[in-house]
Amino acid sequence: MRSIPIATACTIYHKFFCEINLDAYDPYLVAMSSLYLAGKVEEQHLRTRDIINVSNRYFHPGSDPLELDSRFWEIRDSIVQCELLVLRVLRFQVSFQHPHKYLLHYLVSLKNWLNRYSWQRTPVSITAWALLQDSYHGGLCLRFRAQHIAVAVIHLALQAYGVEVPAEAEAEKPWWQVFSEDLTKPTIDNIVSDLIQIYTMDTEIP
């Protein structure tokens, strides 16, 4: 899947479990249905058979694709029924504004501000994109605006490599406020803190 459909699938999943108790439904079934639904929303249609086989491989590494037997059709029907449930719970609001387009524009501007050596010797853009993708492991997409998340991942990437934006001390406003006027430093800190917490959470998953 491309980046945007994956982001939509994750957002659907997190939003569903904001409305519904985590113990009420099988999270793996909801995850499969979220992928299937996101494929439709973002026009990257996925076959249910592919989703089922990838999920089965996750639980049984090295296993062969499932036969088209009664168990397969039972899982397929469950995905379709769960998709309808997710749509009802989310009141059919499954289109979202993601930070990706903002991140792209902000990185282009930042590249023009920084000297060429600073930009070439550090993978700031690659790291920022990776951080954005990882942010969907948690519910940041539900708690913060897309523009703010885009700025925060750039801020963290710059910090990670010790890259400073030229003339920031003399500027009227910090670089990140040029991109988003209503953004504050505490908001950036909250996003970065939540993002770091996701990496801690991932290490605890068996």
Side-chain angles (χ1 to χ4, degrees):
M1 293 183 80
R2 297 189 299 267
S3 297
I4 295 298
I6 289 173
T8 295
C10 293
T11 305
I12 289 171
Y13 178 89
H14 293 307
K15 205 169 178 63
F16 178 81
F17 280 116
C18 277
E19 302 280 343
I20 299 290
N21 190 305
L22 189 60
D23 298 325
Y25 295 97
D26 177 5
Y28 293 101
L29 176 60
V30 175
M32 286 191 284
S33 297
S34 298
L35 287 168
Y36 183 55
L37 178 55
K40 292 181 178 180
V41 172
E42 302 297 346
E43 297 185 359
Q44 188 188 357
H45 297 274
L46 303 173
R47 297 192 310 169
T48 48
R49 183 173 186 183
D50 292 334
I51 295 173
I52 291 169
N53 282 328
V54 168
S55 302
N56 183 62
R57 181 68 65 89
Y58 173 82
F59 288 110
H60 310 286
S63 64
D64 293 327
L66 290 177
E67 297 291 333
L68 297 179
D69 54 14
S70 58
R71 179 165 174 266
F72 172 88
W73 292 109
E74 187 179 307
I75 296 172
R76 185 189 179 283
D77 289 345
S78 296
I79 291 174
V80 173
Q81 291 300 316
C82 186
E83 178 197 12
L84 295 174
L85 170 68
V86 169
L87 281 169
R88 285 199 299 271
V89 168
L90 301 187
R91 294 173 287 281
F92 292 86
Q93 297 174 3
V94 289
S95 290
F96 309 102
Q97 187 179 56
H98 295 297
H100 298 67
K101 63 179 180 181
Y102 297 107
L103 180 58
L104 178 62
H105 292 307
Y106 297 165
L107 285 171
V108 169
S109 297
L110 200 63
K111 181 180 179 181
N112 294 329
W113 294 349
L114 296 174
N115 70 64
R116 188 179 301 176
Y117 177 72
S118 293
W119 187 261
Q120 289 178 345
R121 72 182 175 85
T122 54
V124 170
S125 57
I126 294 172
T127 302
W129 278 104
L131 290 168
L132 177 58
Q133 292 297 96
D134 291 347
S135 75
Y136 282 91
H137 288 236
L140 270 80
C141 53
L142 304 182
R143 296 195 298 275
F144 300 100
R145 291 181 58 196
Q147 298 96 315
H148 295 176
I149 295 173
V151 171
V153 296
I154 294 175
H155 178 78
L156 182 54
L158 290 172
Q159 277 194 321
Y161 296 108
V163 176
E164 295 184 3
V165 177
E168 184 176 8
E170 297 83 23
E172 291 182 12
K173 59 176 71 172
W175 65 267
W176 39 265
Q177 216 162 46
V178 174
F179 293 145
S180 184
E181 288 188 1
D182 62 342
L183 182 57
T184 63
K185 186 60 165 60
T187 300
I188 292 177
D189 292 340
N190 287 338
I191 295 172
V192 169
S193 176
D194 284 8
L195 183 53
I196 292 172
Q197 190 65 36
I198 288 172
Y199 291 109
T200 307
M201 176 187 72
D202 277 357
T203 60
E204 295 169 354
I205 296 176

